[in-house]
Structure formats: C-alpha cells, structure tokens
C-alpha cells in the first residue's frame, strides 16, 4: 500500500547534531517498521516522529502520508483519512508540497472504503493521470464503478488492467464480473477461463468459471468446477452458493436447498444469497 519513495534529509536541518540524529533515528525506524509490515511499531514511531518540533512542513507532510498508508494497510480507513487530512491541511496552510501521486491514490482508496465514492474517484483520477496504468489505482477505480453501478465504465477500466497485468488472475476475474453485470455472458466465461488457466488450483477462479457457466445455462459443465472450488475453499459462502445454484439447475433440489441454507449461515448479509435461501426454504 505504501509505495512512497521517502527520503528524510535530517542532516541538513539547522538544529543540534545529537538532537537531529535522535529524530532521524526515530523516523527512520518507523519507516523500516512500516516496510516490514510491523504496523503497531510503525504507528508508534511515526507519532513520536511527529511530536518533534524540528520537522519542516514538507517533512510533516511526508510523515503524515506515511502514517496514513500504514493505517490503510491495516484497513483502518477512518484513521487513514485523519492522517491524510493533516497531510493536506499542512500543505495548504504552510506551503508544503504534495508531489507524490501515491498520496492521492491511497487517500482515494480510503475514501472509497468509507463510501465517499465521488471524492474517491477525484483522487484516483488524479493519481492515474500521474501514475498511468498503475494496477492498484485501476482496480480501485473499477471497484468504485461497480459500487456506483457504472458497469460499462468498469469494463473499460478493467480492460486496461488486463492489458497491464495479463498474468494476474484478479484482472481477468474483475473484468469477468463486470461483463456479467452488463449481460456479456460469453465474454465473462472467456475471462473466467483465462483466470483458471493462470491459477487452476484457486477456489476463486474456479468459482467464477462455475458461476459464469451457470449464467450461460451450462450448469452440467459448471458442476465439477463448483465442487472443486468448494473443496478448495469450503468456508466461502459465495462458493457454496455457486455449488447450490449448479445443483438446483441440474435438478438436485434437496441438496441445493441444504447448501443455500449453509451459504446463508456463512454470508447472512449477502442479498443474492439471502434471496435464494428465502426462495428455496419456503414450504
């Protein structure tokens, strides 16, 4: 998540050498902890670093941005946004520079995860204009398009992702899902097949091919793929649901009913799973 090219030039500060060294050590230790995914230590270190009165505005901007990226990696999106609020406030009020596009990208990701989709897109578009086809930027733009039901736009952005990362199954899976949303079922099946070719022993790729084949009225073909996906990931409600759908489509309604109930226990908040559960559990 971080991917911030950071360089702290503490040696040029006009402060006592020993004090500068202590601040430098604290800040650099926090950066190293973040690189090592030692997030608690990184947060503690960045907060200690920010407590120093010797930081210049540009350095404060960078440290707050680093702190935001650590919170983002921990999926603490509100804390990340708070750190980014300080980042941009310091830049605006003290003339510091925000030059790294990752800051916009990472704030955009945090905004998206807190449902602030339009604001998120503005940041992600800005990051894309500077980064080009950065995969993490593209996938987050595509995800937000999906949340906004802009599925045609999602297909376009995932098409760029596929060209950028052709050997990553996730690119094909996301475009496959977007194709399904706009009724391009054969294209969805084709993308899911490509994902399985890349990762044939992955429950998610097998499940997507299973699901797209069901949507293409080929449940008999889908069924062994669905079973294999469940064997690989038995605790996934979505994968169990796909197997239930394949069984129902091939006439095994009693087994399907039990699996719909199982999937609902696993994913009680999923609307599609809930709808199938309620439909099949009626007397």
């Amino acid at each position: 998540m971080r991917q911030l090219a950071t360089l702290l030039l503490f040696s040029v500060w006009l402060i006592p050498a020993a004090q500068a060294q202590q601040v430098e050590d604290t800040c650099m230790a926090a950066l190293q902890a973040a690189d090592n995914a030692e997030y608690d230590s990184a947060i503690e270190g960045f907060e200690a670093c920010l407590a120093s009165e010797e930081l210049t505005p540009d350095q404060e901007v960078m440290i707050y941005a680093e702190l935001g990226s650590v919170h983002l990696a921990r999926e603490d999106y509100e804390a990340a946004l708070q750190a980014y609020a300080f980042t941009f406030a310091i830049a605006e009020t003290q003339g510091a520079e925000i030059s790294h596009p990752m800051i916009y990208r990472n704030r955009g990701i945090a905004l998206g995860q807190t449902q602030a989709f339009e604001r998120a897109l503005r940041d992600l578009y800005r990051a894309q204009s500077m980064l080009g086809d950065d995969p993490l930027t593209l996938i987050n733009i595509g995800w937000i398009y999906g949340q906004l039901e802009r599925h045609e736009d999602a297909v376009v952005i995932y098409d760029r992702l596929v060209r950028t990362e052709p050997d990553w199954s996730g690119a094909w899976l996301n475009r496959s899902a977007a194709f399904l949303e706009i009724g391009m079922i054969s294209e969805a099946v084709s993308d899911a097949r490509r994902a399985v070719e890349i990762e044939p022993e992955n429950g998610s790729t097998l499940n997507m091919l299973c699901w797209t084949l069901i949507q293409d009225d080929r449940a008999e073909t889908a069924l062994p793929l669905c079973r294999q996906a469940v064997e690989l990931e038995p605790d996934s409600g979505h994968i169990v649901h796909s197997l239930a759908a394949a069984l129902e489509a091939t006439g095994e309604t009693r087994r399907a009913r039990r699996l719909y109930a199982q999937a609902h226990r696993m994913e009680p908040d999923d609307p599609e799973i809930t709808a199938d559960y309620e439909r099949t559990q009626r007397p």
Side-chain angles (χ1 to χ4, degrees):
M1 284 290 185
R2 290 177 63 251
Q3 297 186 39
L4 294 177
T6 55
L7 195 58
L8 299 178
L9 302 177
F10 292 97
S11 59
V12 303
W13 295 358
L14 299 177
I15 58 176
Q19 188 174 355
Q21 186 62 52
Q22 182 179 4
V23 174
E24 179 179 3
D25 290 347
T26 299
C27 297
M28 294 303 293
L31 289 167
Q32 187 61 55
D35 282 335
N36 294 336
E38 299 167 357
Y39 297 133
D40 289 341
S41 296
I43 290 169
E44 183 179 350
F46 285 136
E47 289 175 348
C49 181
L50 288 164
S52 169
E53 297 180 358
E54 286 77 28
L55 292 176
T56 68
D58 283 333
Q59 289 158 343
E60 279 192 289
V61 161
M62 186 277 294
I63 293 297
Y64 271 116
E66 292 282 358
L67 180 60
S69 72
V70 171
H71 285 305
L72 187 62
R74 290 182 56 169
E75 299 183 0
D76 189 347
Y77 303 114
E78 294 292 349
L81 288 175
Q82 185 176 18
Y84 290 128
F86 279 109
T87 301
F88 283 86
I90 293 167
E92 182 177 348
T93 60
Q94 300 188 45
E97 183 180 5
I98 296 178
S99 59
H100 208 294
M102 300 298 184
I103 297 175
Y104 291 100
R105 186 198 67 186
N106 290 351
R107 187 177 70 167
I109 293 170
L111 286 166
Q113 292 296 325
T114 56
Q115 311 294 302
F117 296 131
E118 297 299 338
R119 291 177 60 203
L121 284 176
R122 286 197 291 272
D123 271 0
L124 291 168
Y125 290 154
R126 182 160 186 172
Q128 186 186 12
S129 71
M130 294 184 279
L131 290 169
D133 288 341
D134 168 61
L136 192 54
T137 305
L138 293 176
I139 199 168
N140 278 278
I141 292 173
W143 179 79
I144 291 173
Y145 283 156
Q147 298 301 301
L148 296 174
E149 298 188 0
R150 294 172 54 180
H151 301 299
E152 292 85 357
D153 291 330
V155 167
V156 172
I157 208 75
Y158 289 139
D159 187 60
R160 297 180 69 168
L161 182 61
V162 163
R163 293 198 302 270
T164 302
E165 294 288 336
D167 296 325
W168 179 44
S169 65
W172 299 93
L173 289 178
N174 278 282
R175 194 173 69 171
S176 178
F179 275 139
L180 275 184
E181 292 289 350
I182 60 175
M184 297 179 66
I185 297 174
S186 62
E187 289 82 358
V189 171
S190 178
D191 275 10
R193 286 193 189 282
R194 179 66 182 121
V196 170
E197 290 172 3
I198 295 170
E199 289 194 81
E201 299 298 322
N202 182 296
S204 295
T205 61
L206 290 165
N207 180 63
M208 179 57 80
L209 182 53
C210 153
W211 185 250
T212 56
L213 287 168
I214 293 169
Q215 306 313 303
D216 201 31
D217 297 323
R218 288 190 277 168
E220 290 283 358
T221 304
L223 193 53
L225 296 164
C226 303
R227 294 187 191 279
Q228 188 179 355
V230 169
E231 288 175 4
L232 288 167
E233 295 190 36
D235 297 326
S236 168
H238 292 96
I239 291 177
V240 171
H241 173 262
S242 296
L243 176 56
L247 289 167
E248 183 182 18
T250 55
E252 297 186 49
T253 55
R254 182 174 298 180
R255 173 68 172 152
R257 187 180 300 114
R258 290 197 299 270
L259 288 178
Y260 279 134
Q262 180 181 337
H264 185 255
R265 287 193 297 272
M266 294 175 169
E267 302 283 349
D269 297 325
D270 184 277
E272 187 169 25
I273 292 174
T274 298
D276 282 333
Y277 166 72
E278 293 176 347
R279 174 179 59 80
T280 57
Q281 301 308 306
R282 292 172 182 168

